[in-house]
C-alpha cells in the first residue's frame, strides 16, 4: 500500500510505497501503475514506476493536485488488477569477447567462472522496473554470493545487448551507452524496439526472465 503521497514540483505526484526493495512492494507499485494506466484519468500525462515509488505527472489545466490525490486514495484494493506477469527466456553468449568483467567478478566473489554463471543461468529474475535508457530492465534478485559494486571507473561505451550485474540487480543494455556495471555476457535479442509503437519493450515490470547460454555462432545467427 502507499505509505505517503506528496508534491514533486508543480505538476507531479510522488507516491511512496516504502524504502525496502523487494518483489512484494514492487508488485504493489506495478498494480497501481497498471490500474491508473487502464483508467485513462484525464490530466495524467505520464506514469513512471520504480522499485518502490510511482511518479505521476499531470496537466494543471485539466486536473489539480488535490483532485488527483483523491482519485489515487479512492482506488480500492479490488480495483487494482493483478500483475499479468510473463516469463521471458533470453539467450546470452558468454564468449570472452562479450564477458568483459567476468574475471573481476570471479576474483571479487571468490567463485570460479563456472560457479558465477551457474548463479546466472539457474535463476528466475524479476523485472522491477525499466529505465536509465529506454527499455533497460532492472532484474532482481541476484544471489547474495555474486553481489558486488559497480566498476570504480565506468566505461564510456558499453556495447548494446550487454548483460551486467551490480549489487542485487542484473540488467541488459538496450543501447550502447556509458555504464559501470560488471559485464558478464551479451544477448543478440532486441530488448527495446523503437519501431514498435504499441509495445516497444520486450521485458516489462513484473515479468520474469531466465537466461540460457548460446555459443557465438548461435549469437551471430540470431543477430542477423
Amino acid at each position: 500500500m502507499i505509505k505517503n503521497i506528496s508534491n514533486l514540483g508543480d505538476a507531479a505526484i510522488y507516491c511512496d510505497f516504502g524504502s525496502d526493495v523487494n518483489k512484494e512492494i514492487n508488485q504493489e507499485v506495478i498494480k497501481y501503475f497498471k490500474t491508473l494506466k487502464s483508467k485513462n484519468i484525464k490530466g495524467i500525462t505520464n506514469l513512471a514506476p520504480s522499485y518502490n515509488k510511482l511518479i505521476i505527472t499531470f496537466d494543471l489545466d485539466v486536473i489539480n493536485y488535490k483532485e488527483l490525490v483523491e482519485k489515487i486514495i479512492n482506488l480500492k484494493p479490488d480495483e487494482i488488477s493483478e500483475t499479468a506477469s510473463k516469463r521471458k527466456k533470453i539467450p546470452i553468449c558468454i564468449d570472452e569477447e562479450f564477458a568483459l568483467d567476468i574475471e573481476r567478478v570471479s576474483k571479487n566473489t571468490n567463485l570460479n567462472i563456472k560457479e558465477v554463471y551457474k548463479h546466472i543461468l539457474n535463476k528466475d529474475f524479476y523485472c522491477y522496473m525499466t529505465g536509465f535508457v529506454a527499455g533497460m530492465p532492472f532484474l532482481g534478485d541476484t544471489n547474495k554470493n555474486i553481489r558486488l559494486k559497480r566498476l570504480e571507473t565506468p566505461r564510456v561505451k558499453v556495447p548494446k545487448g550487454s548483460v551486467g550485474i551490480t549489487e542485487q540487480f542484473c540488467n541488459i543494455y538496450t543501447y550502447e551507452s556509458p555504464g559501470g556495471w560488471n559485464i558478464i555476457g551479451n544477448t543478440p535479442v532486441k530488448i527495446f524496439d523503437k519501431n514498435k509503437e504499441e509495445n516497444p519493450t520486450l521485458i516489462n515490470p513484473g515479468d520474469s526472465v531466465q537466461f540460457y547460454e548460446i555459443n557465438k555462432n548461435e549469437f551471430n545467427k540470431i543477430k542477423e
Side-chain angles (χ1 to χ4, degrees):
M1 296 295 292
I2 299 175
K3 293 184 179 294
N4 183 50
I5 299 175
S6 59
N7 285 85
L8 188 63
D10 294 332
I13 286 176
Y14 179 89
C15 298
D16 183 6
F17 290 75
S19 58
D20 292 339
V21 178
N22 59 52
K23 185 175 179 179
E24 290 72 25
I25 288 178
N26 183 253
Q27 285 181 333
E28 287 298 313
V29 175
I30 295 170
K31 287 176 186 179
Y32 271 89
F33 163 70
K34 291 192 173 184
T35 301
L36 288 166
K37 189 175 181 180
S38 69
K39 287 186 175 296
N40 293 314
I41 296 172
K42 289 184 178 180
I44 290 180
T45 57
N46 190 54
L47 296 161
S50 68
Y51 307 131
N52 47 29
K53 309 290 185 287
L54 176 62
I55 295 174
I56 306 165
T57 55
F58 59 95
D59 185 344
L60 279 167
D61 291 330
V62 180
I63 192 169
N64 62 43
Y65 171 81
K66 185 177 180 181
E67 291 171 334
L68 187 50
V69 168
E70 187 175 350
K71 288 181 181 295
I72 296 169
I73 291 173
N74 287 333
L75 282 177
K76 298 178 182 178
D78 59 1
E79 293 182 275
I80 301 172
S81 58
E82 290 296 324
T83 303
S85 177
K86 296 180 180 179
R87 184 181 182 126
K88 306 291 175 61
K89 290 192 173 184
I90 305 296
I92 179 176
C93 181
I94 59 175
D95 188 86
E96 184 178 353
E97 176 186 345
F98 303 125
L100 307 179
D101 298 306
I102 191 60
E103 294 288 349
R104 177 182 186 274
V105 173
S106 176
K107 178 181 178 180
N108 284 280
T109 58
N110 294 315
L111 297 171
N112 63 49
I113 291 174
K114 286 186 177 180
E115 288 174 324
V116 172
Y117 283 119
K118 182 179 179 181
H119 289 298
I120 298 296
L121 299 173
N122 294 331
K123 176 76 177 178
D124 277 332
F125 289 94
Y126 172 82
C127 182
Y128 279 88
M129 59 174 279
T130 59
F132 179 62
V133 295
M136 176 185 280
F138 283 73
L139 310 171
D141 296 281
T142 56
N143 293 324
K144 290 183 179 180
N145 52 359
I146 61 166
R147 294 181 184 180
L148 64 167
K149 296 180 180 180
R150 289 173 171 78
L151 303 179
E152 292 181 4
T153 304
R155 291 186 173 88
V156 176
K157 292 182 180 179
V158 177
K160 178 181 178 180
S162 292
V163 177
I165 57 173
T166 286
E167 297 172 350
Q168 75 184 77
F169 294 104
C170 175
N171 75 0
I172 304 170
Y173 283 76
T174 51
Y175 287 95
E176 179 181 88
S177 68
W181 291 53
N182 301 276
I183 306 303
I184 58 168
N186 195 294
T187 180
V189 172
K190 189 177 286 188
I191 304 300
F192 181 82
D193 188 349
K194 64 181 181 180
N195 296 317
K196 291 183 178 179
E197 293 183 6
E198 190 170 322
N199 190 7
T201 306
L202 179 63
I203 302 169
N204 295 287
D207 288 347
S208 64
V209 171
Q210 186 176 65
F211 292 101
Y212 67 94
E213 185 182 353
I214 57 173
N215 59 39
K216 194 170 180 181
N217 287 334
E218 292 170 315
F219 177 94
N220 291 329
K221 285 181 181 178
I222 296 173
K223 195 79 171 178
E224 290 170 2

